[in-house]
Amino acid sequence: MSDAYQVAYEREKQARLAAEKLLDEKTREVQSSIDMIQHQFNDLMRQKKESDYLLAVARLTQLNEGLSKSVQQYTQESMLFLGAKFSRYSFINEGKIKISSTIGLDEFLPALKIQAYKKIYGHHDRTTVCIKDLNQIELERICEKNDVDRVVLLPIKSFGKVTTVCEIYLPKTIDFKSEVLDQCQVAGYQIGGMLERNANNKKLEDSFSEITSSHDRLKQAQAQLVQSEKMASLGQLSAGVAHEINNPIGFVMSNFGTLREYIDVMSEYFTLSGQLLAVSDDDIAKKMQAIDDEQDIKFIFNDIHNIMDDCDDGLRRVKEIVANLKSFARGDEEEAEDFDLNTCIENTIKVVWNELKYKVTLHKEFDETLPLIHGHEGQIGQVIMNMLVNAAQAMEQEGEIYINTQKQDAIIRLTIRDTAKGMPESVIEKIFDPFFTTKGVNEGTGLGLSISYGIIEKHGGTIKVESEEGVGTSFIIELPCGK
Amino acid sequence: MQGIIFNALEEFVLENADMATWNAVIDKSQVASKGVYTSGVNYDDSEIVSLATQLCSELSIPLEDGLKLFGEFLFSFLMNNGPIELGQYDNAQTLLENLDSVVHRDVKRLHPDAYTPFFSYEPVDKETGKLTYFSRRKLCMVAEGLLKGAAKHYGQSVSLNHSKCMHQGADKCCWDIKFEQLNP
């Protein structure tokens, strides 16, 4: 029996040895698994730290809190990421340090010699410099005190130029792979990208506002062109119409004088005939008397005079319109001369004063240093007269007219502002169109302002209108100074 | 085959015979491991077959009966000494339902190179069900013994109808099973 157990004991010993061997193998396996897990954990923690850092910088670029704050926070984040003691960021302009700020150090940190920056100005990105190699005693003393032995220089570049340098001062005890510094550089690129984006946005905004203002100018030029075109067409039309109407009007008016004389003769003749008929018994005389009784020859002659007066008036108006049309088409007949605008205004006021005096209070504000204008004084006076008469006619009750002249660079500006009823947008749009009028039939021809427009244009100037209903209207005329 | 099964077989022999019988069985079956079995180590499948055959011959009992008896013993052995926690099940049916998805998965986790048989239990009702078994070892008699051992452990009676058998040319073994709870 004991032999049997002796055999079993030997087997058990073998089995135990096998079990121990197995245990050793398993222990080794477990240990290597733990090592691998620890390694993976460390890797993960490093990756997390990196991604936290990159995320923080990415957030910075999105918040876009301005250059100074973004750079300060980037420096701070990089300092924490690298485990640095203190840091500094400097803004660079044309190779010179403009502003510097230190983080995490209470005492003054002397500036690095510019040579230290040289590397990163070229094609290099971040670089690490040993403090001892810089040969700066005070800097070395401060670094030694803080156990710092090297500084990482991280440039921020915008459009290929270094705009900022971040100095991260690293303690002797810290050691890391160069990939870590690569991350800092990548983050620096992001900040640089943000700066470029900001600059591009600014450019874009500037371009946009330039385009907008060009567009506005273009629109204005187009409107002026359209108006000029209208005036040119009107000019041709006017010349034709004036020529065609002038001849018939000429002989109608001439004949009208003769007709008036003939009627006077006939009137006298019929008066005497009446007296003769009154004492005649003749049949014909009786028939004539019957016509006189029925038609009232005396009344007819009186009415003929009235009709002739009305016709005369109508003809004069036609003549006036034709004259206006002619002045519109003509323009350059008189010789242009230098004249003073203020005097021209004064003279015009005198002419129209009768129409203004009961309704209008006039305020004049003249720039006495105005240079002379080269042009046709009479035509400019016609424009001013038009403005003043229009203003007075637009006043339902009494009102004010402000006349202002001033020089601005090579331009003389004349502003005529009234406190009349103003105009709606629909009227303003057409105000310079020929034959457009808001006045009643027989009150206006609708030529005044379009003629004014043509005159100002011929003088190389511009005329603009601003109006608000119930407030008033301003005409702004700008003329170039004479040579 | 895992070493723990050989340990169970040794224990089974010591309980039903003696150490001299076990020594003789090892000696005569001429297994490569010379009877040195460690729980966590994997041994050749042929060794268990050789040992079982030799044992039945020593004890003069039919191989089938021997395997069934060993199966029944094996269940309680594994319950007490096995590395897998089996105490969470209330009855044999639940254990069978979770055998492949939970128990064998745990075995694989501990011993990735272990070969585990395939069990699938489909309940018909609360007490009856169909069990399918497949193993390259074709130890369906041990499986039957294990079923009996399980029923005994949970205080149940079990009746088995071995409707298909791999030894009869079927690709899998199937049983119609009925478990009944015995009075506590």
Side-chain angles (χ1 to χ4, degrees):
Chain A
M1 198 61 181
S2 64
D3 283 351
Y5 279 99
Q6 184 62 39
V7 173
Y9 170 69
E10 288 304 323
R11 265 202 320 269
E12 280 308 309
K13 251 167 71 180
Q14 295 290 319
R16 203 194 72 210
L17 285 174
E20 280 168 0
K21 196 178 156 208
L22 188 68
L23 189 65
D24 281 352
E25 277 170 15
K26 292 284 174 195
T27 309
R28 268 196 298 275
E29 267 175 35
V30 168
Q31 194 51 51
S32 81
S33 295
I34 289 173
D35 287 350
M36 199 173 71
I37 289 168
Q38 186 63 46
H39 186 73
Q40 284 174 346
F41 178 76
N42 290 344
D43 245 21
L44 275 174
M45 288 311 284
R46 187 180 51 76
Q47 282 173 13
K48 185 183 179 301
K49 204 175 151 192
E50 277 177 18
S51 60
D52 281 353
Y53 168 66
L54 289 176
L55 195 69
V57 175
R59 242 185 233 133
L60 270 182
T61 60
Q62 280 182 354
L63 283 175
N64 209 348
E65 292 184 298
L67 175 65
S68 186
K69 199 165 179 193
S70 300
V71 168
Q72 186 208 345
Q73 291 195 3
Y74 165 67
T75 312
Q76 199 143 14
E77 292 289 350
S78 303
M79 191 174 108
L80 285 174
F81 179 56
L82 296 174
K85 291 259 173 156
F86 53 90
S87 59
R88 169 165 56 194
Y89 56 93
S90 307
F91 296 106
I92 312 286
N93 195 1
E94 290 173 0
K96 285 180 184 161
I97 299 170
K98 290 294 168 193
I99 305 165
S100 275
S101 197
T102 312
I103 302 171
L105 189 70
D106 292 333
E107 56 189 310
F108 172 73
L109 185 68
L112 294 193
K113 283 179 186 160
I114 202 76
Q115 283 86 341
Y117 283 6
K118 282 279 151 62
K119 263 190 176 178
I120 50 175
Y121 286 161
H123 296 297
H124 287 81
D125 285 328
R126 47 96 180 161
T127 188
T128 308
V129 182
C130 278
I131 299 296
K132 280 199 171 147
D133 293 348
L134 291 168
N135 289 327
Q136 288 182 255
I137 296 163
E138 178 59 10
L139 183 81
E140 220 172 295
R141 186 192 65 75
I142 292 169
C143 287
E144 189 59 41
K145 202 171 85 181
N146 286 286
D147 210 26
V148 164
D149 67 343
R150 61 205 195 281
V151 55
V152 176
L153 302 178
L154 294 167
I156 293 175
K157 292 182 181 180
S158 173
F159 299 108
K161 266 189 173 176
V162 176
T163 57
T164 312
V165 177
C166 302
E167 302 160 21
I168 315 286
Y169 290 83
L170 298 175
K172 293 170 188 166
T173 48
I174 294 262
D175 196 20
F176 40 68
K177 292 179 185 167
S178 67
E179 286 87 9
V180 173
L181 289 180
D182 288 345
Q183 299 290 342
C184 294
Q185 190 55 61
V186 167
Y189 291 151
Q190 284 188 37
I191 299 286
M194 180 196 81
L195 299 182
E196 287 177 9
R197 237 177 10 255
N198 285 356
N200 284 336
N201 280 351
K202 174 81 176 48
K203 254 190 215 166
L204 207 65
E205 274 168 26
D206 288 352
S207 303
F208 180 71
S209 80
E210 205 175 303
I211 287 169
T212 311
S213 83
S214 295
H215 179 251
D216 289 348
R217 280 201 303 273
L218 214 61
K219 247 173 115 176
Q220 210 176 335
Q222 191 194 23
Q224 251 167 356
L225 213 63
V226 168
Q227 188 66 20
S228 302
E229 198 54 42
K230 277 184 200 165
M231 303 313 280
S233 310
L234 184 75
Q236 285 175 349
L237 183 74
S238 305
V241 170
H243 182 75
E244 290 302 324
I245 293 177
N246 230 12
N247 281 340
I249 284 290
F251 66 72
V252 167
M253 285 191 85
S254 161
N255 288 348
F256 225 73
T258 314
L259 194 63
R260 205 182 269 281
E261 283 171 22
Y262 288 170
I263 286 168
D264 285 347
V265 173
M266 281 174 75
S267 172
E268 201 182 342
Y269 175 78
F270 273 100
T271 311
L272 290 174
S273 300
Q275 286 170 12
L276 193 64
L277 288 179
V279 291
S280 173
D281 244 1
D282 191 73
D283 273 355
I284 293 170
K286 278 176 185 166
K287 279 179 186 167
M288 285 172 76
Q289 187 60 51
I291 292 169
D292 192 4
D293 290 345
E294 198 182 313
Q295 299 289 338
D296 193 354
I297 298 296
K298 196 179 175 189
F299 170 78
I300 286 175
F301 273 101
N302 280 340
D303 206 26
I304 283 174
H305 281 293
N306 288 339
I307 289 169
M308 292 295 286
D309 286 347
D310 284 353
C311 288
D312 223 15
D313 196 38
L315 281 170
R316 257 203 317 279
R317 280 173 59 84
V318 172
K319 202 179 168 192
E320 205 177 305
I321 290 169
V322 169
N324 272 339
L325 286 175
K326 276 182 88 175
S327 89
F328 193 77
R330 184 186 62 222
D332 294 320
E333 284 176 9
E334 302 166 33
E335 195 70 33
E337 285 173 344
D338 286 345
F339 66 94
D340 175 45
L341 181 65
N342 291 340
T343 316
C344 174
I345 296 168
E346 289 287 11
N347 289 341
T348 310
I349 291 169
K350 278 179 202 156
V351 176
V352 291
W353 185 241
N354 268 331
E355 285 197 46
L356 304 182
K357 62 184 175 187
Y358 298 113
K359 239 181 167 180
V360 174
T361 314
L362 210 54
H363 305 271
K364 292 178 281 185
E365 196 184 339
F366 291 166
D367 180 351
E368 298 300 338
T369 65
L370 282 191
L372 297 179
I373 292 174
H374 187 73
H376 305 282
E377 187 175 358
Q379 289 181 12
I380 298 295
Q382 190 187 341
V383 172
I384 295 163
M385 183 155 65
N386 230 317
M387 305 281 146
L388 294 175
V389 171
N390 279 348
Q393 285 178 349
M395 282 173 192
E396 281 160 348
Q397 291 160 348
E398 287 176 16
E400 328 258 330
I401 294 179
Y402 296 84
I403 305 175
N404 172 286
T405 59
Q406 68 183 110
K407 180 179 180 292
Q408 200 171 51
D409 302 327
I411 295 288
I412 291 171
R413 180 179 295 131
L414 161 64
T415 310
I416 298 172
R417 180 166 73 82
D418 66 51
T419 58
K421 56 188 174 184
M423 295 175 282
E425 196 63 38
S426 56
V427 172
I428 295 174
E429 277 171 18
K430 294 180 190 159
I431 195 142
F432 296 115
D433 285 1
F435 303 111
F436 175 80
T437 179
T438 56
K439 296 171 189 171
V441 180
N442 294 334
E443 282 180 40
T445 57
L447 283 173
L449 278 176
S450 62
I451 288 170
S452 300
Y453 188 96
I455 290 170
I456 298 300
E457 200 181 40
K458 268 183 218 159
H459 280 76
T462 58
I463 178 166
K464 275 193 298 187
V465 63
E466 288 168 6
S467 186
E468 196 179 334
E469 276 186 284
V471 176
T473 302
S474 297
F475 282 93
I476 300 131
I477 296 167
E478 287 183 344
L479 290 163
C481 299
K483 286 170 192 167
Chain B
M1 180 69 83
Q2 290 300 109
I4 192 169
I5 307 298
F6 294 90
N7 294 152
L9 187 62
E10 180 182 353
E11 212 51 43
F12 174 70
V13 174
L14 292 182
E15 204 164 278
N16 292 292
D18 55 20
M19 187 57 83
T21 312
W22 180 236
N23 286 349
V25 168
I26 290 168
D27 207 28
K28 287 177 184 165
S29 57
Q30 294 184 323
V31 286
S33 64
K34 295 197 168 93
V36 177
Y37 297 113
T38 304
S39 172
V41 180
N42 208 11
Y43 299 93
D44 200 283
D45 283 354
S46 65
E47 291 202 13
I48 197 84
V49 178
S50 304
L51 289 171
T53 314
Q54 191 57 46
L55 178 64
C56 289
S57 150
E58 285 288 319
L59 298 177
S60 306
I61 54 166
L63 181 62
E64 284 190 8
D65 294 352
L67 289 176
K68 278 184 196 170
L69 284 171
F70 172 61
E72 202 174 329
F73 174 83
L74 181 61
F75 186 84
S76 61
F77 184 86
L78 290 176
M79 275 306 268
N80 297 323
N81 305 299
I84 310 298
E85 181 56 54
L86 294 169
Q88 54 186 310
Y89 304 107
D90 294 337
N91 52 49
Q93 297 94 304
T94 348
L95 173 66
L96 283 175
E97 279 174 48
N98 290 291
L99 200 58
D100 256 38
S101 61
V102 180
V103 180
H104 283 162
R105 212 182 57 191
D106 276 358
V107 173
K108 283 274 188 195
R109 209 164 56 194
L110 277 177
H111 307 290
D113 50 351
Y115 172 83
T116 54
F118 166 79
F119 279 98
S120 162
Y121 180 75
E122 283 177 42
V124 175
D125 57 36
K126 204 180 161 191
E127 292 182 330
T128 57
K130 283 182 184 299
L131 180 72
T132 309
Y133 160 84
F134 173 80
S135 168
R136 68 184 184 203
R137 298 171 189 134
K138 298 186 181 176
L139 290 170
C140 51
M141 290 306 119
V142 178
E144 262 193 29
L146 280 166
L147 288 167
K148 282 185 181 156
K152 202 169 165 187
H153 176 80
Y154 292 111
Q156 293 172 300
S157 70
V158 61
S159 58
L160 298 163
N161 170 29
H162 198 160
S163 57
K164 282 184 192 170
C165 182
M166 285 187 279
H167 294 289
Q168 310 292 323
D171 57 344
K172 285 168 192 158
C173 284
C174 294
W175 288 270
D176 300 312
I177 307 180
K178 185 177 171 89
F179 290 102
E180 271 178 303
Q181 198 67 40
L182 300 172
N183 288 331

